[in-house]
Amino acid sequence: MNQLDQRAELGEFLRSRRARLRPGDVGLPDYGRHRRVPGLRREELAQLAGVSVAYYTRLEQGSGHNVSTEVLDAIAGALRLDGTEREHLTHLARPRTRRRRQSPRPQQVRPELRTLLDAMEGVPAYLVGRRQDVLGWNRLAAAVFGDFGALPPQERNLVRLVFLDQATAELYADWECRACEVVSNLRMYAGRHPDDEQLSALVGELSVKNEEFRRLWAAHTVADKTHGVKSLRHPLVGRIDLAFETLTLPDDPAQFLVTFHPAPGSPSADALRLLASWSAPRETPARTADAPNAQDMQDTQDTHGTRDTHDIPGA
């Protein structure tokens, strides 16, 4: 799949936001069944934004150049965009000057972060990178969300798992909400990094393999939900409600630490403790003579949740 066309993305985003508004939402008369287009007409949107119809039409067709901040603010106001959508519009309309494309370096997880993840024994947590790749995780996160280590590195991606992995889909009590969430987040990333070839490949694969992904991607919804509650239907312990927090790493804004915790004293807290006990490493009998062999050492390493973070492909 080719890189995302920034001009086409801008036009599609503007049309999708215009289509969701009705004349009555912005104080214009509504002629009901006589309207031939869903939402606002281009003429109505241009009038509200205080720009000419010809100029707005060129912008929606991807032909606008050097769009001023004032014009973007006026269009964003007319479209009733929220803060996240305004930021996305700016990235699409005024992309950064592109330097000669270079292969990006793979993202690395600092050893101290791997140690921190392992130290959070009662808290499921994972590190997410570009395109929502899972870069690292602790043992309890694997017990709750699935064994990331059993997957090839290129498949450790939250969006891919939500749409292409049946066990992950069945885990979320409100799968539709989770699906919209990961696609909206991926849309934001696409606005900032249209040249990301791995992003284009991911979108292409999901578009071919999953009809619901195609529908959500075409909706051009953008959102950045950094906290809330996820309701899970775990195959071993049943219903678990976990609050989550997303923390951006200061030294790498493209990496996020996501932590999960239940309400104290709740059934979810009991269920999480049960999972933690089941996933705890089992002690092995001590050897009486010889030292552990190489296979024993490898088996010990293979129980470590973050062992393969250096294998995650960069973006």
Side-chain angles (χ1 to χ4, degrees), residues 49-227:
V51 299
S52 71
V53 177
Y55 181 87
Y56 178 76
T57 299
R58 289 197 301 273
L59 188 63
E60 203 171 90
Q61 292 175 343
S63 301
H65 299 286
N66 300 320
V67 185
S68 69
T69 300
E70 292 75 17
V71 168
L72 285 179
D73 284 343
I75 292 174
L79 289 171
R80 305 295 195 264
L81 302 186
D82 61 24
T84 301
E85 291 170 326
R86 284 173 178 260
E87 179 186 355
H88 185 64
L89 174 62
T90 300
H91 283 299
L92 294 178
R94 301 170 66 182
R96 293 173 298 178
T97 302
R98 300 178 186 176
R99 294 173 292 182
R100 187 174 63 179
R101 183 158 46 90
Q102 299 177 345
S103 299
R105 292 181 300 176
Q107 286 183 289
Q108 301 292 327
V109 177
R110 290 188 286 109
E112 294 80 4
L113 283 172
R114 290 197 285 270
T115 301
L116 174 62
L117 282 171
D118 289 335
M120 301 167 69
E121 293 185 355
V123 178
Y126 51 64
L127 281 166
V128 181
R130 306 182 186 111
R131 301 171 306 275
Q132 300 175 64
D133 290 333
V134 180
L135 305 178
W137 60 94
N138 61 12
R139 183 175 286 108
L140 193 49
V144 173
F145 297 102
D147 188 2
F148 298 114
L151 299 172
Q154 66 273 16
E155 294 183 12
R156 297 174 198 156
N157 177 276
L158 296 181
V159 190
R160 196 179 191 283
L161 289 170
V162 165
F163 286 97
L164 299 184
D165 182 73
Q166 187 63 32
T168 299
E170 293 175 353
L171 178 66
Y172 291 98
D174 189 353
W175 179 87
E176 292 80 5
C177 181
R178 179 59 174 153
C180 185
E181 182 180 297
V182 295
V183 173
S184 297
N185 190 282
L186 195 66
R187 264 288 176 198
M188 283 189 57
Y189 178 85
R192 298 182 181 125
H193 305 280
D195 292 334
D196 187 332
E197 293 183 344
Q198 292 187 46
L199 166 70
S200 298
L202 176 63
V203 172
E205 178 188 15
L206 293 173
S207 296
V208 169
K209 294 182 177 180
N210 192 281
E211 181 179 355
E212 184 64 11
F213 176 85
R214 291 197 301 272
R215 184 186 70 80
L216 291 172
W217 187 254
H220 285 266
T221 302
V222 292
D224 187 18
K225 190 173 183 181
T226 59
H227 61 278

Side-chain angles (χ1 to χ4, degrees), residues 9 27 48 80 115 182 210 212 228 242 247 251 270 277 291 312:
E9 291 289 306
L48 290 170
R80 305 295 195 264
T115 301
V182 295
N210 192 281
E212 184 64 11
L242 298 175
L247 309 174
D251 59 343
D270 295 336
S277 67
I312 294 295

